[in-house]
Amino acid sequence: MAELHDLKPAPGSHRSRKRVGRGPGSGFGKTAGRGENGQKSRSGGSIPARFEGGQMPLHRRIPKRGFTQRKRRVYQVVNIGSLGSIEGTVVSPGVLKEAGLIRSTKGLVKILGTGDVQGAYSVEVHAVSAGARAKLESAGGSVTLLVSPETQG
């Protein structure tokens, strides 16, 4: 039976590390494979990719515009014309997810008025545009707005 002191790595699987700076005979003496002098030859002497040699960097010299609201509401939009691909008359985030019209049931859903209504749908979503609401109600459908913590202002 093999003992612990008899164990050896498989042939060719273990390579000894490169010992740099150990004299001219090693092939990596003097500059230790780092070329000549300068910042890059020093320990810790790396230059960030964004550094432009002291020139005013691009991310500081282009103008900054706009503002991103921290509590903005991002809706997953569904056009009213694509409701025809749903089986049944009840439209909810779960049904829209199953039909592949939205990515996630966790986000907010808004119905927009592009397209035509094929039937009377009972829609339960977080927001509906005025045009979509008019088309749904004129076709005999109803609109119920879901309340989520994000929609409460």
Side-chain angles (χ1 to χ4, degrees), residues 1 3 8 14 20 27 30-31 37 46 50 54 58 68-69 99 105 107-109 114 116 119 121 129 148-149 153:
M1 185 169 154
E3 301 283 331
K8 290 182 179 169
H14 185 76
V20 296
K30 193 179 173 236
T31 55
N37 300 332
S46 60
R50 66 184 179 274
L58 182 68
T68 303
Q69 193 176 4
T105 56
L108 302 174
V109 180
T114 305
D116 297 320
Y121 291 103
S129 70
S148 72

Side-chain angles (χ1 to χ4, degrees), residues 3-133:
E3 301 283 331
L4 282 176
H5 64 269
D6 293 330
L7 295 177
K8 290 182 179 169
S13 69
H14 185 76
R15 178 179 288 175
S16 56
R17 69 182 183 89
K18 185 198 297 185
R19 297 183 69 230
V20 296
R22 293 296 181 269
S26 67
F28 296 102
K30 193 179 173 236
T31 55
R34 289 177 178 258
E36 295 301 323
N37 300 332
Q39 181 177 2
K40 290 184 184 176
S41 70
R42 311 286 190 246
S43 130
S46 60
I47 304 168
R50 66 184 179 274
F51 187 65
E52 299 182 26
Q55 170 177 296
M56 183 62 68
L58 182 68
H59 67 91
R60 287 184 59 197
R61 66 178 184 257
I62 59 175
K64 310 294 183 285
R65 292 182 59 101
F67 171 76
T68 303
Q69 193 176 4
R70 288 175 64 203
K71 286 186 164 184
R72 69 187 185 278
R73 295 187 192 121
V74 180
Y75 289 100
Q76 302 174 86
V77 294
V78 178
N79 282 312
I80 213 168
S82 56
L83 295 182
S85 63
I86 294 174
E87 295 179 13
T89 59
V90 178
V91 177
S92 66
V95 174
L96 293 170
K97 170 81 168 99
E98 287 176 18
L101 295 175
I102 62 172
R103 284 178 178 260
S104 170
T105 56
K106 293 179 181 175
L108 302 174
V109 180
K110 183 171 184 174
I111 304 290
L112 300 181
T114 305
D116 297 320
V117 185
Q118 283 86 11
Y121 291 103
S122 173
V123 178
E124 300 170 1
V125 291
H126 300 96
V128 180
S129 70
R133 182 185 289 270

